[in-house]
Structure formats: C-alpha cells, structure tokens
Amino acid sequence: MVSVLAAHAQQKQSLDFLTKETDPVVLQQKITTLGAGNEKDKWLLMNYYESKKDLKRADSVLQATVAAYPLGELAYIQLANKIVAEGDVVKKEVIAAQILRNFPNADRNRIHHSLAYGYANAKNIPKVIEHINYLSTQKAKFSATLIVTKLIINYDLPAAEALIRAQIDDVVKSGIPERPSREGGTGPNDDARPSYFLFLEMYTNILVKQGKYEEALKYGKDVYDEYKGRKDEVTGNYGLILSKTGSHQEAAPLLEKLIIAGKGSVVMKTAFKESYAKLNPGKDATAYLSQLENGMKGKIEAEVAKMLINEPAPNFTITDANGKLVSLADFKGKTIILDFWATWCMPCIASFPAMQMAVDKYKNDPNVKFLFIHTWERVDNPLTDAKKFLANNNYRLALYMDVKDQKTKANPAVSSFGVRGIPAKFVIDGNSKIRFKMTGFAGGNEAAVAELSAMIEMSKKGI
C-alpha cells in the first residue's frame, strides 16, 4: 500500500539531499529532523525509505503520520486507496462514510464509482444504478458504467444491456460528436465520442452473446467503421455478425485474418467454417481451418524458440489454498508454470480464460503443474478474496498464496523472481531452471494458449 500512496503523492521536495548524502552521521540527523517535522516532512521521509526498498520503515512512518494528522492529506489518500482495494462492499460503505465525514472536499465521484463497482461484484444491480446516478459528471458516469458492466455481463446480460443502452441514449440526446478533423480541429463535446463507441462496442458484444445478430448488425458496423480494423475483438464480432446474418463474402476474410493471428474464438471459427462452406461448395472447411491453425502455431513456435532462456529458479516458498507450505523442491522433475496475479489486476483477469484453456489442455499430464500465485494483496483477507474471485468466475485454477511478510512488508516469492509487474509468468523445467518468462497479456486466447503450449513442450524436452 505504501507504494500506491507514494505513486499518488504530490510530494515536490527532492530526495537528493538524503539520497546523495555520503556522511552517515549527517544523514541520520536529517532523518531525525524529518521524523520530528510536519506532515510534509514525514511524507518525504516515507518516500525516502520506499526509494531504499525499506518498506517496513516506510509503512511505520506512514502509520505514524496518519495517526499524527488524521485529517491530513496522507490520511485521506490512505482511505481513498483503501476503499478501492476493499473487496467487501459493506466495509466499503463504512470507509465511504468515514471519508465523507472527515473530508468534506473528498472526491465523491471516486467514492461512488468504487461503491458501484463493489455492488456489481456483489450482484446488486439496484445499488449499482443508485451509485452511478450519484456521479456528478458525464465523464464519471461513462467510466463507471463501462467498468461495472464488464462485471455484470458475466451474470446478468439483460441488466448489462439496459445499463449500456441508457448511456448510449444519453449521448445520442446530446448529439454524437464528429470525429476530429485531420487539421486537428475539435468540437465542444469530443470527449464523448470515444466513450460513445466504447459503449456501442460493449452493447454489440452483449447482443452477440444473446444471439441477437440482426439487432447487433447496425451497431457492429458502426463500431467496425469507427475503428477501421484496429481492434481485433471488434473485427471478430463484426465478422461473426456478418456470418450469422448471411453476409458470408464479407465475413470470411475478417474471420480468417483473426484465426491466422491466433485470435479467433471457438464461436468465430465455427462461423468461419459456415461462411467458407457457403462460398466454396464441395471444399472441406474443417481441413482448411486446420491448415490456418497449423500455420498460426508454426509461426508462434518459431517465435517462442527465440525466447528460450536457462536461468536457475529461486527456491521460493508459498502456501496452497489450505495453508500448506510448498516450495520449488516439491516439484522436482516436473515442468511448472507460475502465474503471479492479483484480484485487482485487470490484465491478470483478462488472461485467465486463456490460462484456464491451457490448464484444461494439460489436465491429464502429471508432469505439468500450474501454480496460480496470488500476490501484492490490497485487502486484509487475500485468501478469501482470491477464493471468492475464482469461484464467482468458475475458474478451476490451482490457487497458491504469496502473502506479504509483516516484517519486511514485501511479498517474498514474487520478490525472489524480481517481478516488476503482473501478470508475470515463469515456465520452469524439471531441473529447476527458468526456461521462459513473460509479463503482461496482449490478448488473443488461442495465440496465448499456443504460445504457452510451445513453451511447455520445449521445457519438457529440455531443449
């Protein structure tokens, strides 16, 4: 949490007079002076300790500063971050009340945005709408609606459709902004244009998920024309809609392009075969699809071979979902895939459908083990938080915990791998050597599974 606070800090004073001090006696005097100073002095000292990776002292200074200045800026930032991180919506409400009571000038939009998100997680649609309606600006409503709808889509498509439809209607009433001219001219309502097309994109996705292809056609075309092929999901959805509505000549090349790139879903591949068969009577659509997939996999395997490394893996220790200690030595002779993640990490969550596909692919291979290691927690009960997230989304992933050390304030396993961002994945062979490492998620479930599969097979063979 200290790291998050420091990132939000508006601390202007340079740390140079501390970090460049070479006399240890003088340095200690400066530290003592800051520790006895005002809130800004203590804030600077906290940032200094954080720059030195001394998270224990940084956190100690933070807590002391908040205790000394309960109505100060650091206290507000701490609560503002806490409400975002808290997974229990009832506790979120308590924190919100505390913020509004102690800080009259607090960012109320941020508070209601967080509460709307919390209630979306809790599947309480009326409360979601209530807090969205509390938002005071159109921009804030746009942002909150997009984020909460991504959650609601997973369990209530009609409610998600209604939420997005209401925002689209609001923009239409105000007038859809024109695209900025090539000369760079802009209109008074240009901020609404990107949001409008994000709403249309999501609305189209929802209609497609409900099988409402005829209704989705108009919106899908508008979105596709706006992005001009720059967004794979938009292209795929439009290709799917065209196929389902009989426009096979237009659908086939769009879907084929995505399949070649490894970004075609099972539904899109089925639609492609239907369009291909309509356009090529007598030809084997399944064989042609396999040809495209094999070409994609071949390219990925060639690229993966260039990423191969051979580094000793640190002897990390984590706990499984039942609290049992597990270390690298427990997997001797097996190929293991470590996936460091957190419930608050959007790229981590985006990668999970592909990871579930990979897990399912290797579920009968006793020599391949996946370890999904929750780390960098932002809540008091990370195990409960992680279990709840996996259960709510029907993921069957082997959960392990890399909980923050209370003395060092660091998560030991992820730190031992030198991770700077998550999701971070490591493929380790049976000789405890790191053969591949990746950070982030670029999208494309099929391509991601093919890439990871190639890494696993190369690691198994000891290439």
Side-chain angles (χ1 to χ4, degrees):
M1 180 62 75
V2 174
S3 165
V4 175
L5 290 172
H8 285 82
Q10 299 300 312
Q11 180 61 268
K12 301 298 183 182
Q13 189 174 354
S14 171
L15 290 175
D16 286 352
F17 87 110
L18 288 174
T19 58
K20 293 184 178 181
E21 180 56 65
T22 57
D23 187 328
V25 175
V26 176
L27 176 61
Q28 187 56 52
Q29 289 174 344
K30 291 180 177 180
I31 289 173
T32 301
T33 300
L34 288 174
N38 59 26
E39 183 183 15
K40 287 187 177 181
D41 292 333
K42 296 178 190 296
W43 194 337
L44 181 61
L45 182 59
M46 180 190 75
N47 287 345
Y48 168 72
Y49 282 133
E50 188 179 57
S51 74
K52 294 296 183 181
K53 308 300 181 185
D54 190 342
L55 300 184
K56 182 179 180 181
R57 282 196 173 92
D59 189 63
S60 177
V61 173
L62 168 65
Q63 301 307 328
T65 307
V66 170
Y69 300 93
L71 302 181
E73 192 172 356
L74 262 179
Y76 168 66
I77 293 173
Q78 185 184 51
L79 285 173
N81 281 286
K82 188 176 180 180
I83 195 173
V84 171
E86 179 55 62
D88 186 325
V89 71
V90 175
K91 293 180 180 178
K92 275 184 182 287
E93 289 276 18
V94 173
I95 298 168
Q98 184 180 355
I99 292 174
L100 295 175
R101 182 173 62 251
N102 293 344
F103 303 96
N105 297 322
D107 185 348
R108 290 172 178 264
N109 281 340
R110 182 178 183 182
I111 294 169
H112 291 299
H113 183 136
S114 182
L115 288 170
Y117 184 85
Y119 280 114
N121 262 322
K123 301 182 181 181
N124 188 332
I125 306 300
K127 292 293 285 185
V128 170
I129 296 171
E130 175 186 328
H131 284 285
I132 286 177
N133 288 336
Y134 283 140
L135 297 170
S136 61
T137 67
Q138 188 182 55
K139 185 175 182 179
K141 288 183 178 180
F142 284 173
S143 175
T145 302
L146 285 169
I147 290 173
V148 301
T149 304
K150 288 179 181 178
L151 296 175
I152 296 169
I153 280 174
N154 295 319
Y155 60 83
D156 193 336
L157 283 171
E161 181 181 351
L163 275 170
I164 291 296
R165 180 76 250 182
Q167 293 298 331
I168 290 173
D169 291 344
D170 280 350
V171 177
V172 172
K173 286 177 185 176
S174 302
I176 303 169
E178 295 294 328
R179 184 184 286 109
S181 69
R182 291 183 179 179
E183 291 74 25
T186 58
N189 200 24
D190 276 338
D191 284 345
R193 186 175 182 88
S195 296
Y196 173 71
F197 281 97
L198 285 173
F199 287 138
L200 276 195
E201 179 186 348
M202 188 174 289
Y203 190 62
T204 303
N205 293 347
I206 293 168
L207 294 175
V208 167
K209 286 178 182 292
Q210 296 179 94
K212 299 178 180 179
Y213 299 111
E214 293 289 346
E215 189 178 348
L217 181 59
K218 175 184 180 299
Y219 303 108
K221 177 171 173 43
D222 286 347
V223 175
Y224 180 74
D225 288 344
E226 175 70 11
Y227 292 119
K228 300 187 182 302
R230 294 191 301 271
K231 295 184 75 169
D232 292 327
E233 187 175 4
V234 168
T235 300
N237 262 342
Y238 187 47
L240 175 61
I241 293 166
L242 288 170
S243 178
K244 292 295 185 181
T245 54
S247 298
H248 301 293
Q249 192 74 45
E250 295 176 76
L254 296 181
L255 295 171
E256 181 172 335
K257 181 180 178 181
L258 289 182
I259 292 167
I260 291 172
K263 296 180 179 179
S265 66
V266 173
V267 174
M268 290 175 191
K269 289 179 181 180
T270 301
F272 171 73
K273 287 198 296 182
E274 291 173 359
S275 290
Y276 182 87
K278 290 286 186 181
L279 296 171
N280 301 276
K283 290 189 177 181
D284 190 335
T286 300
Y288 186 66
L289 175 62
S290 295
Q291 180 182 330
L292 295 179
E293 290 177 325
N294 290 334
M296 176 269 294
K297 291 176 182 176
K299 290 179 182 178
I300 288 176
E301 288 170 2
E303 290 301 315
V304 165
K306 300 174 185 177
M307 301 165 60
L308 187 67
I309 60 175
N310 190 359
E311 300 175 359
N315 188 25
F316 62 90
T317 300
I318 51 180
T319 58
D320 66 15
N322 298 314
K324 179 184 176 183
L325 282 174
V326 175
S327 70
L328 176 63
D330 293 315
F331 301 97
K332 188 71 173 177
K334 299 183 186 296
T335 298
I336 60 174
I337 301 88
L338 311 185
D339 188 337
F340 289 101
W341 71 287
T343 55
W344 51 262
C345 169
M346 291 299 108
C348 302
I349 293 170
S351 74
F352 272 10
M355 294 307 294
Q356 183 66 69
M357 291 167 64
V359 168
D360 292 342
K361 180 177 179 178
Y362 285 95
K363 65 182 179 181
N364 295 321
D365 190 332
N367 293 313
V368 176
K369 297 293 181 184
F370 288 80
L371 286 68
F372 291 86
I373 307 171
H374 191 277
T375 190
W376 289 349
E377 70 273 14
R378 293 183 179 179
V379 295
D380 294 334
N381 298 300
L383 177 59
T384 301
D385 184 44
K387 283 183 174 180
K388 182 179 179 182
F389 171 81
L390 295 178
N392 285 348
N393 292 280
N394 298 314
Y395 288 126
R396 304 170 305 282
L397 307 175
L399 175 63
Y400 294 83
M401 302 300 295
D402 175 33
V403 180
K404 190 177 297 180
D405 185 288
Q406 292 305 306
K407 291 183 179 180
T408 65
K409 300 299 180 182
N411 298 79
V414 77
S415 298
S416 70
F417 280 88
V419 171
R420 292 179 175 272
I422 55 175
K425 297 175 176 59
F426 297 84
V427 180
I428 302 174
D429 67 16
N431 296 313
S432 301
K433 300 291 185 180
I434 299 174
R435 307 316 306 271
F436 297 95
K437 51 186 173 182
M438 303 167 283
T439 302
F441 180 66
N445 291 342
E446 296 289 333
V449 173
E451 180 182 61
L452 186 55
S453 298
M455 293 177 177
I456 291 171
E457 295 305 320
M458 288 182 191
S459 299
K460 286 169 66 178
K461 295 174 182 176
I463 294 175

